[in-house]
Amino acid sequence: MKEHYCLQAALVCLGVLCHSQALTTERRGHLRPSFHGHHEKGKEGQVLQRSKRGWVWNQFFVIEEYTGPDPVLVGRLHSDIDSGDGNIKYILSGEGAGTIFVIDDKSGNIHATKTLDREERAQYTLMAQAVDRDTNRPLEPPSEFIVKVQDINDNPPEFLHETYHANVPERSNVGTSVIQVTASDADDPTYGNSAKLVYSILEGQPYFSVEAQTGIIRTALPNMDREAKEEYHVVIQAKDMGGHMGGLSGTTKVTITLTDVNDNPPKFPQSVYQMSVSEAAVPGEEVGRVKAKDPDIGENGLVTYNIVDGDGMDLFEITTDYETQEGVVKLKKPVDFETKRAYSLKVEAANVHIDPKFISNGPFKDTVTVKIAVEDADEPPMFLAPSYIHEVQENAAAGTVVGRVHAKDPDAANSPIRYSIDRHTDLDRFFTINPEDGFIKTTKPLDREETAWLNISVFAAEIHNRHQEAKVPVAIRVLDVNDNAPKFAAPYEGFICESDQTKPLSNQPIVTISADDKDDTANGPRFIFSLPPEIIHNPNFTVRDNRDNTAGVYARRGGFSRQKQDLYLLPIVISDGGIPPMSSTNTLTIKVCGCDVHGALLSCNAEAYILNAGLSTGALIAILACIVILLVIVVLFVTLRRQKKEPLIVFEEEDVRENIITYDDEGGGEEDTEAFDIATLQNPDGINGFIPRKDIKPEYQYMPRPGLRPAPNSVDVDDFINTRIQEADNDPTAPPYDSIQIYGYEGRGSVAGSLSSLESATTDSDLDYDYLQNWGPRFKKLADLYGSKDTFDDDS
């Protein structure tokens, strides 16, 4: 530190000497003689008068940061008219005059009274003037001069940032630019070397270097590997004075990170992977995982897996888990321990993205062998067919064999199998199965017309492990047997017009009939229609088979009359085409009806024929309509009579109420048979409407007085009842609380007494209660109460 101060003082002294010498030289160069008594001759002997030069001044210099004990002499102002007798006074004005710079008004010497900093202000502009000391008359015109602050190296270099962060790809060539750092120096770059900076590296060799003039950091070693070291810390120094001794310096830290490139291929850590899978595994189940290590990161470390060879390529597959970068081996098809017990796969791992710059480092892939062992599992039995279809004839006797199902144990143990029927599929228990051989039999006759197909499920389970079972669907078709005779397809009914014997017969059938058979088509149509043998020569009707499963019924004669017979029942035999054929006899109803001249049907009722011919159908309808209207009028009249009401009582002053006895009120005695204003029976408080009951529940609990309770052994019924009445009257907590109850109003001045029955206990009773003595101990108390009075009377 002392050496620094000594060096600074020496520099200040050197600067003062230099400026003094410069001032002397400049003064000599600018010094001009005064006009007072000075003349020069021209080239031709002429006397030339020079222009007056009143001031002698220069551009002055002062060194910054001077810290000496005395003010620094900046310079001296002098006028050529100053004879040194003290009559001239020098005046200084301008920037810093009087505060920073002061002048001796006699000698013109200028001193700096404060330490100056060039970085704050590099120069000051001042104005000097010489005046007469006594009169203050200007002797010279004002003259402007500049005081420059001369720089010294008092500011160290400073970097723009305290720390820098930069990235550079790994494996970069030597001299690859990483980042440029820049420092600045507040000293004067135009004077000396105070602001001339030189950059150097303090930490970070031998990996990086820095250009001395520009501050550009470059790589210094080839093939730097991120996987070996990813981050470097570099310290850069900037030194002024051109880097020479005595210069000031500043430093900054640079963190350099190597970015990844795909310079490493994936590599399996082992050559063989051992895995196993159960033969009970289902497709899609995970078998195991493999992983190839790639030290690269990001997309450079992405790996994809594929099966490239092996005898299990059809049974296994591999997918890539991009989160863990693992290859997941999965089962694609079921495996069978009894068929093959081991498989081998060749799995390849390869990079997804390859950098062409490093293709020579390849190949960027690796292979590994995966051996998969198949484990034996206790498998359920397997049916020889995925489903079974059997047939059985309907109406077959119970115990008829329908068919057989067969299953076996696929395991090497070949365990015995037991069969059973899923009763949820055979709720009616039509079938049974032999548990040992799988033969299915019927338990009851079947009806195809009810159910043509029956679907059941059969279980096959191992005897030694009932949990291992298989299930197979069995469809049983019920074969048709001709067990249903054909019948009319609909309830047919024929009509024939009554006619004369002379009218020709019509070729149109009375009715066309068809049949229906519940049996299958093989045992149903074709249908044969005929008359029974006993009436095959029926004189009235005949049946003609149309040979298309229909038949027509025709009339053999004319002249049908309703008076003779209005209804005919014709039996018809229908046979089917089954083996053996089935037949049934069906009855066809044929009515004889009245028709018009065109053959249109009018009426089939026999009663209509008996009526008077002069009374037409329209007249009958009119008579019935009149009867209905009269009945409606009578009903309406009766209904109106029932709905008619008595007029309400009108309370008028002129209304007389004599001989009116009202039994639902307690009016004023004999006043009931005399004229009176009925308004007196109305409650004056409720004339305007009904007054509802208002209960006000008390807020406190009533405690009965102990003195009012009778003795337990008291037999005085009067005292007992009076006590209870008094307690009820004085108990505010018992309903109806404070209630307004309107039972009617007795009118003002009524002499009617109370209707209460509470005092009935005081009246004599003619009843005999001796029978209570015979009712047992439960009624002893009641017998004592009512029998005690009689005993008392007898004793008196």
Side-chain angles (χ1 to χ4, degrees), residues 114-189:
K114 295 182 179 181
T115 300
L116 302 181
D117 188 358
R118 190 201 66 83
E119 286 70 39
E120 293 184 0
R121 190 160 187 172
Q123 65 181 19
Y124 297 86
T125 301
L126 299 173
M127 191 73 69
Q129 193 173 18
V131 299
D132 187 270
R133 185 176 294 276
D134 296 331
T135 63
N136 285 332
R137 182 177 59 84
L139 301 177
E140 296 282 355
S143 180
E144 183 181 272
F145 65 94
I146 296 174
V147 177
K148 287 190 175 182
V149 181
Q150 188 172 358
D151 182 54
I152 64 173
N153 190 19
D154 60 341
N155 291 281
E158 294 183 356
F159 285 92
L160 298 181
H161 304 284
E162 293 183 1
T163 59
Y164 290 84
H165 295 274
N167 298 322
V168 64
E170 63 174 335
R171 307 285 182 182
S172 296
N173 297 327
V174 176
T176 302
S177 175
V178 179
I179 190 174
Q180 182 179 14
V181 295
T182 304
S184 62
D185 196 322
D187 294 327
D188 189 0

Side-chain angles (χ1 to χ4, degrees), residues 562-694:
R562 283 182 289 179
Q563 291 180 337
K564 294 181 179 180
Q565 186 175 351
D566 63 344
L567 184 66
Y568 293 89
L569 299 178
L570 180 66
I572 299 176
V573 178
I574 307 175
S575 301
D576 59 20
I579 301 175
M582 298 285 292
S583 62
S584 65
T585 301
N586 301 266
T587 301
L588 176 66
T589 301
I590 301 175
K591 293 183 179 181
V592 180
C593 303
C595 304
D596 58 12
V597 295
H598 302 289
L601 182 66
L602 293 178
S603 175
C604 296
N605 297 326
E607 293 78 9
Y609 184 82
I610 304 173
L611 294 176
N612 188 358
L615 190 60
S616 64
T617 304
L620 291 174
I621 294 174
I623 293 172
L624 292 175
C626 293
I627 294 173
V628 171
I629 292 172
L630 290 175
L631 290 175
V632 171
I633 293 173
V634 171
V635 171
L636 290 176
F637 179 76
V638 173
T639 303
L640 292 176
R641 290 278 295 178
R642 290 184 177 180
Q643 291 182 352
K644 187 176 180 181
K645 296 181 180 180
E646 297 293 336
L648 298 176
I649 299 175
V650 180
F651 299 99
E652 298 178 357
E653 293 182 358
E654 296 81 10
D655 193 7
V656 178
R657 290 290 183 263
E658 291 186 359
N659 299 323
I660 296 177
I661 301 175
T662 302
Y663 295 97
D664 56 353
D665 59 65
E666 301 176 3
E670 294 180 356
E671 296 179 2
D672 291 341
T673 59
E674 296 180 3
F676 63 93
D677 187 2
I678 197 170
T680 59
L681 295 180
Q682 295 292 329
N683 185 348
D685 297 329
I687 294 176
N688 295 328
F690 173 73
I691 299 179
R693 170 175 171 169
K694 298 180 181 180

Side-chain angles (χ1 to χ4, degrees), residues 482 484-486 517 519-528 549 574-583:
N482 192 19
N484 291 279
D517 196 334
D519 291 324
D520 197 2
T521 55
N523 293 317
R526 102 167 171 85
F527 298 119
I528 301 174
N549 296 326
I574 307 175
S575 301
D576 59 20
I579 301 175
M582 298 285 292
S583 62

Side-chain angles (χ1 to χ4, degrees), residues 165-242:
H165 295 274
N167 298 322
V168 64
E170 63 174 335
R171 307 285 182 182
S172 296
N173 297 327
V174 176
T176 302
S177 175
V178 179
I179 190 174
Q180 182 179 14
V181 295
T182 304
S184 62
D185 196 322
D187 294 327
D188 189 0
T190 63
Y191 179 78
N193 295 326
S194 298
K196 186 177 181 180
L197 304 181
V198 174
Y199 297 95
S200 61
I201 184 168
L202 300 183
E203 296 181 13
Q205 300 97 338
Y207 307 103
F208 300 96
S209 63
V210 64
E211 292 184 357
Q213 305 302 324
T214 61
I216 297 177
I217 301 175
R218 300 181 182 275
T219 58
L221 284 181
N223 297 324
M224 285 191 293
D225 191 4
R226 184 199 66 83
E227 288 73 32
K229 186 176 181 180
E230 184 177 4
E231 192 173 81
Y232 296 84
H233 298 282
V234 179
V235 178
I236 302 297
Q237 174 184 268
K239 190 175 184 180
D240 59 14
M241 297 299 291

